[in-house]
Amino acid sequence: KAGVTQTPRYLIKTRGQQVTLSCSPISGHRSVSWYQQTPGQGLQFLFEYFSETQRNKGNFPGRFSGRQFSNSRSEMNVSTLELGDSALYLCASSLEGGTLESSYNEQFFGPGTRLTVL
Amino acid sequence: KNQVEQSPQSLIILEGKNCTLQCNYTVSPFSNLRWYKQDTGRGPVSLTIMTFSENTKSNGRYTATLDADTKQSSLHITASQLSDSASYICVVSASANNNDMRFGAGTRLTVKP
């Protein structure tokens, strides 16, 4: 089974631009979560999508948005980029949420997209 | 204040030696605790997952322990290898469906020959 894939792997943008990142989950996985990772803040949760609906959201401004398609693929968009948005953006997929025991709801991470804002 | 604190921040050991990484948390309620290994430039990979009732779980040379009473966990690496050089991240979930995960800042481990 193929793992979680993210495109592009590297991206350079300038302040004020917008960017769209893509994530393809493991086949059969319906939950996709997005994270931002920076050296100073570590991993921070952005949002989670499940069955095309945003189910949970972290403490990020509205410039960060996402969506999920019917095939569970997900995109994340950041508008009006700021220097502080430079980070590794990670996507993780899992089978599903709900009330399953977490041991069976393991998240699998993609390799990430390294975004640099100049 | 981060609800998951890891120590040390970084660690350098010689190949073949053992080491122990610490994770203290204040997350409540508690559902599960995971240890991830993240190689430079790659996404995290799960090493162990433990729920409230589990005290120890092993994955090869990696052994994680959990004391839910004191809210402490450790990751012990035995007979370290150069490929163990990575960041090790402790993640605590407050809910069973992992909608509420809290991440530690990680411990950067360097194994030298």
Side-chain angles (χ1 to χ4, degrees):
Chain A
K1 222 183 225 187
V4 178
T5 57
Q6 291 186 246
T7 58
R9 290 295 311 278
Y10 303 91
L11 203 51
I12 299 175
K13 291 284 188 178
T14 56
R15 276 184 301 174
Q17 287 187 308
Q18 68 122 23
V19 67
T20 299
L21 312 181
S22 180
C23 171
S24 293
I26 291 172
S27 177
H29 284 194
R30 294 160 60 192
S31 169
V32 174
S33 297
W34 288 91
Y35 299 88
Q36 181 195 67
Q37 187 177 36
T38 59
Q41 298 291 327
L43 269 163
Q44 293 183 285
F45 173 71
L46 281 156
F47 30 65
E48 184 216 3
Y49 284 86
F50 180 78
S51 292
E52 302 179 63
T53 302
Q54 187 181 86
R55 183 163 62 176
N56 201 20
K57 190 177 187 300
N59 293 325
F60 277 80
R63 300 185 296 108
F64 292 83
S65 63
R67 58 177 176 168
Q68 186 180 34
F69 302 95
S70 57
N71 61 358
S72 293
R73 190 177 71 84
S74 177
E75 286 182 347
M76 191 194 94
N77 185 274
V78 187
S79 62
T80 319
L81 284 166
E82 300 176 0
L83 295 180
D85 296 334
S86 294
L88 180 67
Y89 289 89
L90 291 160
C91 161
S93 76
S94 61
L95 201 56
E96 59 184 285
T99 58
L100 287 179
E101 278 299 315
S102 51
S103 295
Y104 302 101
N105 196 30
E106 182 176 352
Q107 282 194 328
F108 296 85
F109 283 84
T113 292
R114 172 72 64 184
L115 172 64
T116 301
V117 182
L118 302 176
Chain B
K1 187 181 185 314
N2 196 352
Q3 294 179 299
V4 181
E5 299 286 346
Q6 290 188 244
S7 62
Q9 197 172 37
S10 62
L11 184 62
I12 301 174
I13 62 173
L14 292 176
E15 186 179 11
K17 297 296 185 183
N18 304 334
C19 68
T20 300
L21 314 180
Q22 296 291 340
C23 174
N24 297 338
Y25 63 93
T26 57
V27 176
S28 183
F30 172 83
S31 175
N32 64 85
L33 184 147
R34 304 156 185 257
W35 283 94
Y36 284 92
K37 176 188 177 189
Q38 185 176 22
D39 293 311
T40 301
R42 292 177 171 266
V45 174
S46 179
L47 292 175
T48 64
I49 305 172
M50 288 189 291
T51 56
F52 185 87
S53 59
E54 296 172 299
N55 299 121
T56 304
K57 186 165 278 191
S58 292
N59 179 1
R61 295 180 296 103
Y62 301 100
T63 299
T65 65
L66 173 65
D67 186 333
D69 291 330
T70 61
K71 297 188 176 180
Q72 296 179 325
S73 175
S74 66
L75 180 69
H76 186 75
I77 303 175
T78 305
S80 61
Q81 300 175 359
L82 298 179
S83 59
D84 292 332
S85 294
S87 287
Y88 291 84
I89 303 170
C90 173
V91 183
V92 180
S93 293
S95 64
N97 59 13
N98 296 320
N99 281 349
D100 191 4
M101 300 170 70
R102 310 298 169 88
F103 292 83
T107 292
R108 178 69 203 176
L109 173 66
T110 302
V111 180
K112 293 197 168 182

Short mmCIF file of all heavy atoms in Angstrom, two decimals, chain B residues 35-94:
data_model
loop_
_atom_site.label_atom_id
_atom_site.label_comp_id
_atom_site.label_asym_id
_atom_site.label_seq_id
_atom_site.Cartn_x
_atom_site.Cartn_y
_atom_site.Cartn_z
N TRP B 35 4.96 7.73 20.76
CA TRP B 35 6.32 8.20 20.46
C TRP B 35 6.51 8.09 18.95
O TRP B 35 6.22 7.05 18.35
CB TRP B 35 7.36 7.36 21.18
CG TRP B 35 7.50 7.69 22.64
CD1 TRP B 35 6.88 7.08 23.69
CD2 TRP B 35 8.35 8.69 23.20
NE1 TRP B 35 7.29 7.66 24.88
CE2 TRP B 35 8.19 8.64 24.60
CE3 TRP B 35 9.24 9.64 22.67
CZ2 TRP B 35 8.88 9.50 25.47
CZ3 TRP B 35 9.92 10.48 23.53
CH2 TRP B 35 9.74 10.41 24.92
N TYR B 36 7.02 9.19 18.38
CA TYR B 36 7.33 9.22 16.96
C TYR B 36 8.82 9.46 16.78
O TYR B 36 9.44 10.16 17.56
CB TYR B 36 6.58 10.36 16.26
CG TYR B 36 5.12 10.13 16.01
CD1 TYR B 36 4.16 10.54 16.94
CD2 TYR B 36 4.68 9.51 14.85
CE1 TYR B 36 2.82 10.35 16.71
CE2 TYR B 36 3.32 9.31 14.60
CZ TYR B 36 2.40 9.74 15.54
OH TYR B 36 1.07 9.55 15.31
N LYS B 37 9.34 8.90 15.69
CA LYS B 37 10.71 9.18 15.27
C LYS B 37 10.63 9.99 13.98
O LYS B 37 9.92 9.60 13.05
CB LYS B 37 11.48 7.88 15.02
CG LYS B 37 12.89 8.10 14.50
CD LYS B 37 13.53 6.78 14.09
CE LYS B 37 14.92 7.02 13.51
NZ LYS B 37 15.49 5.80 12.91
N GLN B 38 11.35 11.10 13.95
CA GLN B 38 11.33 11.92 12.75
C GLN B 38 12.75 12.16 12.26
O GLN B 38 13.53 12.86 12.90
CB GLN B 38 10.62 13.25 13.00
CG GLN B 38 10.49 14.10 11.73
CD GLN B 38 9.69 15.37 11.96
OE1 GLN B 38 9.56 15.85 13.08
NE2 GLN B 38 9.16 15.94 10.88
N ASP B 39 13.06 11.56 11.12
CA ASP B 39 14.34 11.82 10.49
C ASP B 39 14.30 13.20 9.84
O ASP B 39 13.24 13.69 9.45
CB ASP B 39 14.64 10.76 9.43
CG ASP B 39 14.86 9.39 10.03
OD1 ASP B 39 15.64 9.29 10.99
OD2 ASP B 39 14.26 8.42 9.56
N THR B 40 15.47 13.80 9.71
CA THR B 40 15.56 15.14 9.14
C THR B 40 14.93 15.17 7.76
O THR B 40 15.25 14.34 6.90
CB THR B 40 17.03 15.59 9.07
OG1 THR B 40 17.57 15.56 10.39
CG2 THR B 40 17.13 17.00 8.53
N GLY B 41 14.03 16.13 7.55
CA GLY B 41 13.42 16.28 6.24
C GLY B 41 12.32 15.29 5.92
O GLY B 41 11.82 15.24 4.79
N ARG B 42 11.92 14.50 6.90
CA ARG B 42 10.87 13.50 6.67
C ARG B 42 9.75 13.68 7.68
O ARG B 42 9.88 14.36 8.69
CB ARG B 42 11.45 12.10 6.80
CG ARG B 42 12.43 11.74 5.69
CD ARG B 42 13.02 10.37 5.91
NE ARG B 42 13.80 9.94 4.75
CZ ARG B 42 13.30 9.21 3.77
NH1 ARG B 42 12.05 8.84 3.79
NH2 ARG B 42 14.06 8.86 2.76
N GLY B 43 8.62 13.05 7.40
CA GLY B 43 7.51 13.09 8.34
C GLY B 43 7.75 12.14 9.49
O GLY B 43 8.54 11.21 9.39
N PRO B 44 7.07 12.35 10.62
CA PRO B 44 7.23 11.46 11.77
C PRO B 44 6.72 10.06 11.48
O PRO B 44 5.76 9.88 10.73
CB PRO B 44 6.36 12.13 12.85
CG PRO B 44 6.16 13.53 12.38
CD PRO B 44 6.17 13.46 10.89
N VAL B 45 7.35 9.08 12.09
CA VAL B 45 6.94 7.69 11.96
C VAL B 45 6.65 7.16 13.35
O VAL B 45 7.44 7.34 14.27
CB VAL B 45 8.05 6.84 11.30
CG1 VAL B 45 7.66 5.36 11.30
CG2 VAL B 45 8.30 7.32 9.87
N SER B 46 5.50 6.52 13.50
CA SER B 46 5.10 6.03 14.81
C SER B 46 5.99 4.89 15.29
O SER B 46 6.30 3.96 14.54
CB SER B 46 3.64 5.55 14.74
OG SER B 46 3.23 5.05 15.98
N LEU B 47 6.40 4.97 16.56
CA LEU B 47 7.20 3.90 17.17
C LEU B 47 6.32 3.05 18.09
O LEU B 47 6.32 1.83 18.01
CB LEU B 47 8.35 4.50 17.98
CG LEU B 47 9.45 5.21 17.20
CD1 LEU B 47 10.44 5.85 18.17
CD2 LEU B 47 10.16 4.24 16.26
N THR B 48 5.61 3.71 18.99
CA THR B 48 4.74 3.00 19.93
C THR B 48 3.49 3.82 20.21
O THR B 48 3.51 5.05 20.10
CB THR B 48 5.44 2.73 21.27
OG1 THR B 48 5.72 3.97 21.91
CG2 THR B 48 6.71 1.94 21.11
N ILE B 49 2.44 3.12 20.57
CA ILE B 49 1.20 3.76 21.03
C ILE B 49 0.80 3.06 22.32
O ILE B 49 0.76 1.83 22.36
CB ILE B 49 0.06 3.61 20.00
CG1 ILE B 49 0.47 4.13 18.64
CG2 ILE B 49 -1.19 4.33 20.49
CD1 ILE B 49 -0.55 3.82 17.56
N MET B 50 0.52 3.83 23.34
CA MET B 50 0.11 3.21 24.61
C MET B 50 -1.16 3.88 25.14
O MET B 50 -1.27 5.11 25.11
CB MET B 50 1.23 3.34 25.64
CG MET B 50 2.41 2.43 25.36
SD MET B 50 3.58 2.43 26.70
CE MET B 50 4.20 4.09 26.55
N THR B 51 -2.06 3.08 25.60
CA THR B 51 -3.27 3.59 26.25
C THR B 51 -3.09 3.55 27.76
O THR B 51 -2.05 3.11 28.26
CB THR B 51 -4.50 2.77 25.84
OG1 THR B 51 -4.26 1.40 26.15
CG2 THR B 51 -4.76 2.90 24.35
N PHE B 52 -4.09 3.97 28.45
CA PHE B 52 -4.02 4.16 29.91
C PHE B 52 -3.57 2.90 30.64
O PHE B 52 -2.83 2.95 31.60
CB PHE B 52 -5.39 4.59 30.41
CG PHE B 52 -5.43 4.92 31.87
CD1 PHE B 52 -5.13 6.20 32.31
CD2 PHE B 52 -5.77 3.95 32.81
CE1 PHE B 52 -5.14 6.52 33.65
CE2 PHE B 52 -5.80 4.26 34.16
CZ PHE B 52 -5.49 5.55 34.58
N SER B 53 -4.01 1.76 30.15
CA SER B 53 -3.77 0.52 30.88
C SER B 53 -2.43 -0.14 30.56
O SER B 53 -2.06 -1.13 31.17
CB SER B 53 -4.89 -0.48 30.58
OG SER B 53 -4.94 -0.73 29.19
N GLU B 54 -1.70 0.43 29.61
CA GLU B 54 -0.44 -0.19 29.22
C GLU B 54 0.74 0.50 29.90
O GLU B 54 0.83 1.73 29.89
CB GLU B 54 -0.28 -0.13 27.69
CG GLU B 54 -1.34 -0.93 26.97
CD GLU B 54 -1.30 -0.72 25.46
OE1 GLU B 54 -1.48 0.43 25.02
OE2 GLU B 54 -1.10 -1.71 24.74
N ASN B 55 1.64 -0.30 30.46
CA ASN B 55 2.80 0.24 31.16
C ASN B 55 4.06 0.22 30.31
O ASN B 55 4.91 1.09 30.43
CB ASN B 55 3.06 -0.54 32.45
CG ASN B 55 1.90 -0.46 33.40
OD1 ASN B 55 1.33 -1.48 33.77
ND2 ASN B 55 1.53 0.74 33.78
N THR B 56 4.18 -0.79 29.49
CA THR B 56 5.38 -0.96 28.68
C THR B 56 5.01 -1.48 27.31
O THR B 56 4.13 -2.35 27.19
CB THR B 56 6.35 -1.97 29.34
OG1 THR B 56 6.65 -1.53 30.66
CG2 THR B 56 7.65 -2.06 28.56
N LYS B 57 5.69 -0.95 26.30
CA LYS B 57 5.49 -1.47 24.95
C LYS B 57 6.80 -1.37 24.20
O LYS B 57 7.48 -0.35 24.27
CB LYS B 57 4.40 -0.68 24.23
CG LYS B 57 4.04 -1.25 22.87
CD LYS B 57 2.75 -0.70 22.34
CE LYS B 57 1.57 -1.43 22.93
NZ LYS B 57 0.31 -1.09 22.25
N SER B 58 7.14 -2.45 23.53
CA SER B 58 8.42 -2.49 22.82
C SER B 58 8.22 -2.57 21.32
O SER B 58 7.24 -3.12 20.83
CB SER B 58 9.24 -3.70 23.28
OG SER B 58 9.64 -3.53 24.62
N ASN B 59 9.17 -2.03 20.61
CA ASN B 59 9.21 -2.09 19.15
C ASN B 59 10.68 -2.23 18.78
O ASN B 59 11.39 -1.26 18.60
CB ASN B 59 8.61 -0.82 18.56
CG ASN B 59 8.66 -0.82 17.04
OD1 ASN B 59 9.12 -1.78 16.42
ND2 ASN B 59 8.17 0.25 16.43
N GLY B 60 11.12 -3.49 18.71
CA GLY B 60 12.53 -3.72 18.42
C GLY B 60 13.41 -3.21 19.55
O GLY B 60 13.22 -3.57 20.71
N ARG B 61 14.35 -2.35 19.21
CA ARG B 61 15.26 -1.81 20.23
C ARG B 61 14.64 -0.63 20.99
O ARG B 61 15.27 -0.05 21.86
CB ARG B 61 16.57 -1.37 19.55
CG ARG B 61 17.36 -2.52 18.94
CD ARG B 61 18.65 -2.04 18.29
NE ARG B 61 18.36 -1.16 17.15
CZ ARG B 61 18.47 0.16 17.19
NH1 ARG B 61 18.86 0.77 18.30
NH2 ARG B 61 18.20 0.89 16.12
N TYR B 62 13.43 -0.28 20.66
CA TYR B 62 12.74 0.82 21.35
C TYR B 62 11.75 0.26 22.37
O TYR B 62 10.94 -0.60 22.04
CB TYR B 62 11.96 1.68 20.34
CG TYR B 62 12.79 2.29 19.25
CD1 TYR B 62 12.85 1.73 17.98
CD2 TYR B 62 13.51 3.46 19.49
CE1 TYR B 62 13.60 2.32 16.98
CE2 TYR B 62 14.28 4.04 18.49
CZ TYR B 62 14.32 3.47 17.23
OH TYR B 62 15.07 4.04 16.24
N THR B 63 11.84 0.75 23.60
CA THR B 63 10.89 0.36 24.64
C THR B 63 10.33 1.61 25.29
O THR B 63 11.09 2.44 25.80
CB THR B 63 11.56 -0.52 25.71
OG1 THR B 63 12.06 -1.71 25.09
CG2 THR B 63 10.56 -0.89 26.79
N ALA B 64 9.02 1.74 25.25
CA ALA B 64 8.37 2.87 25.88
C ALA B 64 7.70 2.43 27.17
O ALA B 64 7.19 1.31 27.26
CB ALA B 64 7.34 3.49 24.93
N THR B 65 7.75 3.29 28.16
CA THR B 65 7.05 3.03 29.42
C THR B 65 6.08 4.18 29.68
O THR B 65 6.28 5.30 29.22
CB THR B 65 8.03 2.92 30.60
OG1 THR B 65 8.67 4.19 30.79
CG2 THR B 65 9.07 1.86 30.34
N LEU B 66 5.06 3.87 30.43
CA LEU B 66 4.05 4.87 30.75
C LEU B 66 3.62 4.70 32.20
O LEU B 66 3.28 3.60 32.64
CB LEU B 66 2.84 4.73 29.84
CG LEU B 66 1.63 5.62 30.17
CD1 LEU B 66 1.98 7.10 30.01
CD2 LEU B 66 0.44 5.25 29.31
N ASP B 67 3.67 5.79 32.94
CA ASP B 67 3.12 5.83 34.29
C ASP B 67 2.00 6.87 34.28
O ASP B 67 2.27 8.07 34.37
CB ASP B 67 4.22 6.21 35.30
CG ASP B 67 3.72 6.12 36.73
OD1 ASP B 67 2.50 6.27 36.96
OD2 ASP B 67 4.55 5.91 37.63
N ALA B 68 0.79 6.39 34.14
CA ALA B 68 -0.35 7.30 34.02
C ALA B 68 -0.64 8.04 35.33
O ALA B 68 -1.26 9.10 35.33
CB ALA B 68 -1.59 6.53 33.57
N ASP B 69 -0.17 7.50 36.44
CA ASP B 69 -0.39 8.16 37.73
C ASP B 69 0.47 9.41 37.85
O ASP B 69 0.00 10.47 38.28
CB ASP B 69 -0.08 7.20 38.88
CG ASP B 69 -1.10 6.08 38.96
OD1 ASP B 69 -2.27 6.30 38.57
OD2 ASP B 69 -0.73 4.97 39.40
N THR B 70 1.74 9.27 37.49
CA THR B 70 2.65 10.42 37.57
C THR B 70 2.69 11.20 36.26
O THR B 70 3.34 12.24 36.16
CB THR B 70 4.09 9.98 37.92
OG1 THR B 70 4.56 9.10 36.88
CG2 THR B 70 4.12 9.24 39.25
N LYS B 71 2.00 10.70 35.23
CA LYS B 71 1.94 11.34 33.92
C LYS B 71 3.33 11.49 33.32
O LYS B 71 3.75 12.59 32.90
CB LYS B 71 1.22 12.68 34.02
CG LYS B 71 -0.24 12.54 34.45
CD LYS B 71 -1.00 13.84 34.37
CE LYS B 71 -2.46 13.59 34.74
NZ LYS B 71 -3.27 14.81 34.67
N GLN B 72 4.03 10.38 33.34
CA GLN B 72 5.36 10.37 32.77
C GLN B 72 5.53 9.18 31.83
O GLN B 72 4.97 8.10 32.05
CB GLN B 72 6.43 10.26 33.88
CG GLN B 72 6.45 11.45 34.82
CD GLN B 72 7.49 11.29 35.91
OE1 GLN B 72 7.72 10.18 36.39
NE2 GLN B 72 8.12 12.39 36.30
N SER B 73 6.31 9.40 30.79
CA SER B 73 6.64 8.33 29.86
C SER B 73 8.11 8.43 29.52
O SER B 73 8.71 9.51 29.59
CB SER B 73 5.80 8.45 28.59
OG SER B 73 6.18 7.47 27.63
N SER B 74 8.68 7.30 29.18
CA SER B 74 10.07 7.31 28.75
C SER B 74 10.21 6.43 27.51
O SER B 74 9.42 5.50 27.30
CB SER B 74 10.99 6.81 29.86
OG SER B 74 10.72 5.44 30.12
N LEU B 75 11.19 6.75 26.71
CA LEU B 75 11.52 5.94 25.54
C LEU B 75 12.97 5.51 25.70
O LEU B 75 13.87 6.36 25.75
CB LEU B 75 11.34 6.72 24.24
CG LEU B 75 11.67 5.93 22.97
CD1 LEU B 75 10.64 4.83 22.74
CD2 LEU B 75 11.73 6.86 21.75
N HIS B 76 13.18 4.21 25.81
CA HIS B 76 14.52 3.68 26.00
C HIS B 76 14.99 3.06 24.69
O HIS B 76 14.28 2.26 24.08
CB HIS B 76 14.51 2.62 27.12
CG HIS B 76 15.87 2.13 27.47
ND1 HIS B 76 16.77 2.87 28.20
CD2 HIS B 76 16.49 0.96 27.18
CE1 HIS B 76 17.89 2.18 28.36
NE2 HIS B 76 17.75 1.03 27.76
N ILE B 77 16.17 3.47 24.28
CA ILE B 77 16.76 2.94 23.05
C ILE B 77 17.97 2.09 23.44
O ILE B 77 18.89 2.58 24.12
CB ILE B 77 17.19 4.05 22.08
CG1 ILE B 77 15.97 4.95 21.76
CG2 ILE B 77 17.75 3.46 20.79
CD1 ILE B 77 16.32 6.16 20.91
N THR B 78 17.95 0.86 23.02
CA THR B 78 19.02 -0.07 23.38
C THR B 78 19.99 -0.25 22.22
O THR B 78 19.59 -0.27 21.06
CB THR B 78 18.40 -1.45 23.72
OG1 THR B 78 17.43 -1.26 24.75
CG2 THR B 78 19.46 -2.42 24.19
N ALA B 79 21.27 -0.35 22.56
CA ALA B 79 22.31 -0.61 21.55
C ALA B 79 22.13 0.31 20.35
O ALA B 79 21.89 -0.14 19.23
CB ALA B 79 22.25 -2.07 21.12
N SER B 80 22.28 1.58 20.59
CA SER B 80 21.98 2.60 19.57
C SER B 80 22.79 2.38 18.29
O SER B 80 23.92 1.86 18.31
CB SER B 80 22.27 3.99 20.13
OG SER B 80 23.62 4.12 20.48
N GLN B 81 22.18 2.78 17.19
CA GLN B 81 22.80 2.71 15.88
C GLN B 81 22.83 4.12 15.28
O GLN B 81 22.06 4.99 15.68
CB GLN B 81 22.02 1.75 14.98
CG GLN B 81 21.95 0.34 15.52
CD GLN B 81 21.08 -0.58 14.67
OE1 GLN B 81 20.50 -0.16 13.67
NE2 GLN B 81 21.01 -1.85 15.06
N LEU B 82 23.70 4.28 14.30
CA LEU B 82 23.80 5.59 13.66
C LEU B 82 22.45 6.04 13.09
O LEU B 82 22.11 7.22 13.10
CB LEU B 82 24.85 5.57 12.55
CG LEU B 82 26.28 5.25 12.98
CD1 LEU B 82 27.21 5.24 11.77
CD2 LEU B 82 26.77 6.24 14.02
N SER B 83 21.65 5.08 12.64
CA SER B 83 20.34 5.40 12.03
C SER B 83 19.31 5.85 13.07
O SER B 83 18.23 6.29 12.70
CB SER B 83 19.80 4.18 11.28
OG SER B 83 19.67 3.08 12.17
N ASP B 84 19.67 5.74 14.35
CA ASP B 84 18.76 6.23 15.38
C ASP B 84 18.83 7.75 15.50
O ASP B 84 18.00 8.36 16.20
CB ASP B 84 19.10 5.61 16.74
CG ASP B 84 18.81 4.12 16.80
OD1 ASP B 84 17.90 3.66 16.08
OD2 ASP B 84 19.49 3.41 17.56
N SER B 85 19.79 8.35 14.86
CA SER B 85 19.91 9.82 14.89
C SER B 85 18.66 10.43 14.26
O SER B 85 18.39 10.22 13.09
CB SER B 85 21.16 10.28 14.13
OG SER B 85 22.33 9.83 14.78
N ALA B 86 17.92 11.15 15.08
CA ALA B 86 16.63 11.70 14.64
C ALA B 86 16.05 12.51 15.79
O ALA B 86 16.62 12.58 16.88
CB ALA B 86 15.67 10.58 14.26
N SER B 87 14.90 13.12 15.53
CA SER B 87 14.14 13.75 16.59
C SER B 87 13.07 12.77 17.06
O SER B 87 12.45 12.10 16.23
CB SER B 87 13.48 15.04 16.10
OG SER B 87 14.43 16.05 15.92
N TYR B 88 12.87 12.71 18.36
CA TYR B 88 11.88 11.80 18.93
C TYR B 88 10.81 12.66 19.59
O TYR B 88 11.11 13.47 20.48
CB TYR B 88 12.53 10.84 19.92
CG TYR B 88 13.43 9.86 19.20
CD1 TYR B 88 14.74 10.20 18.89
CD2 TYR B 88 12.95 8.62 18.80
CE1 TYR B 88 15.56 9.33 18.20
CE2 TYR B 88 13.76 7.74 18.10
CZ TYR B 88 15.06 8.10 17.81
OH TYR B 88 15.86 7.24 17.10
N ILE B 89 9.59 12.49 19.13
CA ILE B 89 8.51 13.36 19.55
C ILE B 89 7.49 12.57 20.35
O ILE B 89 7.06 11.49 19.93
CB ILE B 89 7.82 14.01 18.34
CG1 ILE B 89 8.85 14.79 17.51
CG2 ILE B 89 6.69 14.93 18.76
CD1 ILE B 89 8.33 15.28 16.18
N CYS B 90 7.11 13.11 21.48
CA CYS B 90 6.09 12.52 22.34
C CYS B 90 4.77 13.23 22.06
O CYS B 90 4.72 14.47 22.03
CB CYS B 90 6.50 12.68 23.80
SG CYS B 90 5.29 12.17 25.02
N VAL B 91 3.72 12.47 21.85
CA VAL B 91 2.41 13.04 21.52
C VAL B 91 1.37 12.44 22.45
O VAL B 91 1.26 11.22 22.56
CB VAL B 91 2.03 12.75 20.06
CG1 VAL B 91 0.70 13.42 19.72
CG2 VAL B 91 3.12 13.22 19.11
N VAL B 92 0.60 13.30 23.08
CA VAL B 92 -0.44 12.83 24.00
C VAL B 92 -1.79 13.23 23.46
O VAL B 92 -2.01 14.39 23.11
CB VAL B 92 -0.24 13.41 25.41
CG1 VAL B 92 -1.34 12.90 26.35
CG2 VAL B 92 1.14 13.04 25.95
N SER B 93 -2.71 12.26 23.38
CA SER B 93 -4.06 12.53 22.90
C SER B 93 -5.03 12.58 24.07
O SER B 93 -5.00 11.72 24.95
CB SER B 93 -4.51 11.46 21.92
OG SER B 93 -3.77 11.51 20.73
N ALA B 94 -5.88 13.60 24.01
CA ALA B 94 -6.88 13.74 25.07
C ALA B 94 -8.17 12.98 24.70
O ALA B 94 -9.03 12.79 25.55
CB ALA B 94 -7.18 15.20 25.33
#
